[in-house]
Amino acid sequence: MKEQWKLEVLLIYFNFLTIIFINFGSGFITTGSIGSNLRERRSIKNIIPEDYDINVFPPNEMPMKVSYSALVMGVEDIREIEEDISIEMNIRISWKDSRLAPLVRSLQNLSTVTTMSKRRLQQYILLQPSIINQIWVPDVYIDHLKDVDQPAVLSKPSSLRIHSDCTLRYSTRVTIIVSCPMDFHYYPADIQRCDVELKSYGYTEDKMILNWRDTFGANFAYPMEPHNYYLSLGNLNKFRSETLTGRKYSGLRFTVVLQRKLSFHIIQTFLPSILLVIVSWLSFLINIDTVPARTAVIMTCLLTLISMFSSVR
């Protein structure tokens, strides 16, 4: 009996120690998660200071340089009647805001960055794109824009980086519909040029200048050819727009060049027309007295040509 009583006491004592250990461990884990959340909150506070004002222009060197690059993923739709085109592209915008903390210490503690890459690449950290609503951003818009859309599954395809020198880089994918005045005087050997212009709406060029990012500018992501056009990019240049009051604004422009493929129209229009004209000549081989037969051949060719040309238009 005494041995059984001692065994029960030992079991109770062991269970008590087990409960204390489990509670202590869970408390330690909870404390660690709370600590990590506090560190994340503090890091966000370091990025956006308490006295930060989203309405105030950043106190950088004047004029501020805003860099752009555009990667065209596809020209999805070319509507000749509405005179517009639909372009899917990635836009990257870079600017500097000296009011944001450099975060040099955080970047130096990144274990995933090697020493060699630190020498070659400027360090950055990836932020939530929603922070873009809490900081100052350039007021750049696309001229002659009809519509813009962002494809999304769970979230919109966008990213925000902040570098160690307070340079911000915002990247997003958009599908835009841009007005493109077309001239069909030389149809079907016509060449259409659709300009995509980026401009600053409120800041004149003495405060903000738009530049293409290094040598990237605007490029195609891969070779693409719609069924009826040859595509190319041209006129990657800067320009200046001036209002009636004399204010000058900086802008960027790239041009989507649409050159119509003649092979399509040669096969679909020119060759059938030539063949129908040759067939109409067969009416000369019919006896001159058989007027109904000659008339039927000529009228059939004429109506076929009219129907074909109507479908081309």
Side-chain angles (χ1 to χ4, degrees):
M1 294 293 293
K2 291 182 179 181
E3 293 179 355
Q4 186 176 1
W5 179 79
K6 291 180 180 180
L7 183 60
E8 292 179 356
V9 171
L10 289 174
L11 289 175
I12 294 172
Y13 182 71
F14 178 76
N15 292 332
F16 178 73
L17 291 177
T18 303
I19 294 172
I20 292 176
F21 177 77
I22 293 173
N23 290 333
F24 177 77
S26 61
F28 178 76
I29 295 172
T30 305
T31 304
S33 61
I34 293 175
S36 61
N37 291 333
L38 289 176
R39 285 194 295 271
E40 290 179 358
R41 292 177 182 176
R42 289 175 183 175
S43 63
I44 294 176
K45 289 182 179 180
N46 290 333
I47 295 174
I48 304 177
E50 295 182 355
D51 58 347
Y52 188 90
D53 191 351
I54 191 175
N55 300 311
V56 178
F57 192 85
N60 303 332
E61 296 181 359
M62 294 295 178
M64 173 189 288
K65 295 181 180 179
V66 180
S67 300
Y68 277 81
S69 66
L71 185 64
V72 179
M73 307 302 296
V75 178
E76 299 178 351
D77 193 10
I78 302 171
R79 300 187 295 183
E80 298 176 348
I81 298 178
E82 290 80 5
E83 294 190 358
D84 58 33
I85 61 173
S86 176
I87 305 174
E88 183 181 6
M89 62 180 179
N90 291 347
I91 298 180
R92 293 181 177 179
I93 312 171
S94 299
W95 72 97
K96 189 173 183 180
D97 194 342
S98 59
R99 295 175 295 176
L100 301 179
L103 300 178
V104 177
R105 295 180 181 178
S106 300
L107 296 174
Q108 291 177 348
N109 294 330
L110 289 176
S111 59
T112 57
V113 181
T114 62
T115 305
M116 185 61 67
S117 62
K118 285 183 179 180
R119 295 177 182 176
R120 295 182 179 179
L121 301 177
Q122 188 181 25
Q123 303 308 301
Y124 66 88
I125 57 175
L126 195 63
L127 305 176
Q128 285 293 331
S130 58
I131 299 179
I132 200 72
N133 298 321
Q134 305 176 26
I135 61 176
W136 181 92
V137 294
D139 63 337
V140 178
Y141 70 101
I142 300 177
D143 204 6
H144 306 297
L145 181 68
K146 288 186 175 181
D147 192 14
V148 60
D149 186 25
Q150 277 189 295
V153 180
L154 296 177
S155 60
K156 293 183 179 180
S158 58
S159 65
L160 178 63
R161 295 179 180 179
I162 180 169
H163 293 257
S164 58
D165 60 347
C166 298
T167 298
L168 295 160
R169 197 215 71 173
Y170 181 74
S171 177
T172 185
R173 174 172 292 189
V174 294
T175 301
I176 62 174
I177 298 178
V178 185
S179 176
C180 178
M182 299 183 181
D183 183 10
F184 301 102
H185 183 74
Y186 296 103
Y187 179 89
D190 57 328
I191 299 177
Q192 310 296 339
R193 292 177 173 83
C194 305
D195 294 332
V196 180
E197 298 181 348
L198 304 171
K199 298 179 181 179
S200 174
Y201 190 83
Y203 296 105
T204 56
E205 63 178 2
D206 58 340
K207 285 190 175 182
M208 181 186 299
I209 293 180
L210 307 184
N211 294 314
W212 289 115
R213 179 171 172 261
D214 298 332
T215 58
F216 294 97
N219 293 292
F220 285 124
Y222 47 83
M224 57 189 72
E225 286 188 8
H227 71 284
N228 202 18
Y229 291 94
Y230 295 106
L231 291 180
S232 62
L233 290 177
N235 296 334
L236 302 177
N237 54 13
K238 300 168 56 178
F239 69 95
R240 176 190 299 169
S241 61
E242 186 173 354
T243 62
L244 297 176
T245 58
R247 294 185 177 182
K248 300 176 182 179
Y249 297 87
S250 178
L252 297 174
R253 177 191 298 118
F254 70 91
T255 304
V256 179
V257 182
L258 307 173
Q259 183 177 0
R260 198 180 302 274
K261 294 181 180 179
L262 284 176
S263 59
F264 174 81
H265 292 276
I266 289 175
I267 297 174
Q268 298 292 328
T269 305
F270 290 104
L271 286 180
S273 301
I274 293 172
L275 292 176
L276 287 174
V277 171
I278 293 175
V279 170
S280 67
W281 290 347
L282 297 178
S283 62
F284 294 109
L285 302 178
I286 302 175
N287 190 353
I288 193 172
D289 296 329
T290 56
V291 176
R294 299 180 67 181
T295 304
V297 172
I298 295 174
M299 291 301 299
T300 301
C301 294
L302 179 61
L303 293 175
T304 304
L305 286 173
I306 294 173
S307 176
M308 185 176 60
F309 292 148
S310 298
S311 63
V312 171
R313 290 181 181 178

